[in-house]
Amino acid sequence: MCGIVGYLGTRQAAPILLDGLSKLEYRGYDSAGVCVMSNGELKVAKSKGRLATLSGLIDGGRAIQGTFGIGHTRWATHGAPSDINSHPHIADAGKIAVVHNGIIENYLRLKEDLVRKGKHFQSETDTEVVANLIEYYYDRLQDFPRAVRRAVGQLEGSYALGILCQDFPGTMIAVKKESPLIFGFGEGENFIASDVPAILKYTRKVVYLNDGDTVIFTKDTARFYDAFYDPVEKTPETIDWDISAAEKCGYDHFMIKEIHEQPKAVKGTLSPRIRDGRVVLDDVTLSKEYLEELKRIYIVACGSSYYVGCLGKHILEKTCRIPVEPILASEFRYSEPVLGSDTLVLIISQSGETADTKAALMEAKRQGARTLAIVNVVGSAIAKEADDVIYTWAGPEIAVATTKAFSTQLSVIYLIALYIADLLETIRPEEYDTIVNELLKLDQKIALCLTNDNVQKIRYYAEQYFKVHDAFFIGRNVDSAICLEGSLKLKEIAYIHSEAYAAGELKHGPISLIEEGTLVVAVATVDSLFDKTMSNVKEVRARGADVFGVTTEKHEAEIKKTVPSVITVPATHPMLQPSLTIIPLQTFAYYIALLRDCDVDKPRNLAKSVTVE
Ligand code: M6R
């Protein structure tokens, strides 16, 4: 969603802001803007559309001189994407400039009040209300920090704010509540940003602000305050991943780069947690006594992370013999889940900032359930709130469509399953050893799915099918769960109507939609269910569907009797098979999107981290 960058230093601010915003493009946006303080004036440039348009307007930043500034990419919530609704917003008398991520829920009431008090508004946004509210208090108090504090005290909703005041040229104030914001320490310069890639070129020393935090900073100093406005010391964390992790490095898109990074990401997530053939989860405090009392596990997440939860149900129930229920985070709070100290709530989120997922986590905590989060972004809100956190070491994921984060989340599910099953003794020791051995080979097998030959073959099939209007993904058991993710990939990046069904369910309704030229992606890797899935494949073939089949090498000859377009993946332990099956599905969606000329990394209407409910 929206992206914020702020800079105070001695270099020209605008090019730094534009560069930083370009590293946040992955978050999704529809307009962009910068405000630079120059000779006591707040100079603003903003425009609807891509960052390149804004950059063109201000000659790559050279047209606005000044060494202090704030920049923003906006994902419209209040008011359509337009020049006027773009951030930064300047208050009525021109003294305050604000960039904002999040939603001010009581903005209409505040706006009416400010209008009564004589403030004029240009835009339809909630953010302009914040700028005017701060200016209103500033005019009365003549104190920038106090004015911000008074105004923020009246805001309801979520916000990450970067604020400049015309009368305080070298000072910026940033405030965070329920929207991500980091502070970056430089040498004679300081930064704020929504995410690390925006400032990684300039500093590796960052602080992840907590909810309620305020930072008042100059180029040389930073004073932090907590939610009670008590001064707090913050020790910077050092970012240890390389800038190349957030660059395309020769690939055409982040998505294909991240698809190819999966062997490394999966290895990086698994291998530190497998020692001497045993799964070791150092950060998790689930005791045998606690697990023995456990009645149920809920897996709560959104989108692809939820689909990891659907796979998790199969994996954890089979291995640990505990009932597992995956629930969409947006539904969790309203479904009156049965929670208590005998319930474990597993929260899955790449970004760690998804509003629905965070709200579900808070509800689970409120009702006394233990929470364990699987998160990719260190220091994110969900990581901070959960009782325990297992990080997926996928590195920064930039493409909106998740690939490597999905694979690493799934890897963590395997680890949790083995860890619990071992403590509860619900797994035979030989089975445990077999799975651990296969886990250690998983990265190599994923790499085999991505050989040049395989990728070219998938590309060839994408060329056969990229013009379809409708697609159905079918499979049974874990294949059915992986179909959900394969289908989501196709719809979100290639804009093809696509649905996923348990193969056995087709005949109960959806088969009426199958006609000449409908694409059916049939996933058939579960040995014991292969013949049954093939019966369903024959049913759709008989009705004219084109079928793209995904199976293991062992079933290749058999499936080819019915289906001409087949891609095979190596076999592994059945529990781990989804980690291999998903690779051709991601790659297939990527090439189809490319052939349809879609903006693969930044699909329309989507955002990388969804911080509104
Ligand atoms: O950051 P999160 O894992 O919480 O995000 C959840 C979903 O928004 C995310 O998986 C979304 O569905 C992706 N676009 C899928 O590619």
Side-chain angles (χ1 to χ4, degrees), residues 302-305 349-351 354 400-402 409 488-489 492 610:
C302 302
S304 298
S305 299
S349 175
Q350 185 284 130
S351 61
T354 303
V400 165
T402 181
Q409 289 167 345
L488 177 64
K489 289 281 93 65
E492 69 179 336
V610 183

Side-chain angles (χ1 to χ4, degrees), residues 424-467:
L424 293 180
E425 296 172 37
T426 50
I427 189 166
R428 284 181 296 109
E430 316 81 68
E431 179 81 344
Y432 181 97
D433 292 344
T434 309
I435 298 177
V436 167
N437 280 333
E438 278 300 308
L439 269 183
L440 292 170
K441 288 189 252 170
L442 201 55
D443 61 306
Q444 294 156 37
K445 292 195 174 177
I446 294 175
L448 286 176
C449 300
L450 288 165
T451 58
N452 195 35
D453 273 4
N454 276 331
V455 170
Q456 289 317 317
K457 211 164 156 190
I458 293 166
R459 193 190 175 119
Y460 169 78
Y461 291 136
E463 281 162 7
Q464 314 302 304
Y465 300 125
F466 77 97
K467 289 189 178 147

Side-chain angles (χ1 to χ4, degrees), residues 255 300-307 329 347-358 374-377 382 397 399-403 405-406 409 485 488-489 492-493 603 606-610:
M255 183 177 174
V300 185
C302 302
S304 298
S305 299
Y306 168 72
Y307 295 147
I347 301 280
I348 309 181
S349 175
Q350 185 284 130
S351 61
E353 299 289 348
T354 303
D356 286 320
T357 312
K358 187 175 166 219
I374 302 172
V375 174
N376 193 40
V377 177
I382 289 171
E397 190 178 64
V400 165
T402 181
T403 51
F406 176 90
Q409 289 167 345
E485 174 62 4
L488 177 64
K489 289 281 93 65
E492 69 179 336
I493 61 164
L606 294 180
K608 183 66 182 165
S609 83
V610 183

Side-chain angles (χ1 to χ4, degrees), residues 230-295:
D230 289 328
V232 278
E233 287 296 315
K234 298 267 186 190
T235 313
E237 291 183 34
T238 304
I239 302 298
D240 58 5
W241 46 266
D242 199 68
I243 186 86
S244 66
E247 312 247 313
K248 283 190 207 144
C249 298
Y251 286 93
D252 289 337
H253 297 95
F254 281 109
M255 183 177 174
I256 191 70
K257 177 186 175 234
E258 288 161 3
I259 286 174
H260 281 275
E261 281 173 349
Q262 289 179 105
K264 185 170 165 234
V266 164
K267 187 173 184 182
T269 302
L270 289 173
S271 54
R273 290 158 173 147
I274 299 176
R275 289 183 222 140
D276 300 327
R278 314 298 305 168
V279 171
V280 184
L281 298 180
D282 287 327
D283 303 335
V284 174
T285 52
L286 301 175
S287 65
K288 185 173 163 59
E289 295 67 41
Y290 166 78
L291 291 169
E292 277 169 351
E293 295 301 313
L294 205 57
K295 294 277 182 301

Side-chain angles (χ1 to χ4, degrees), residues 42 163 346:
L42 293 168
I163 311 155
L346 260 180

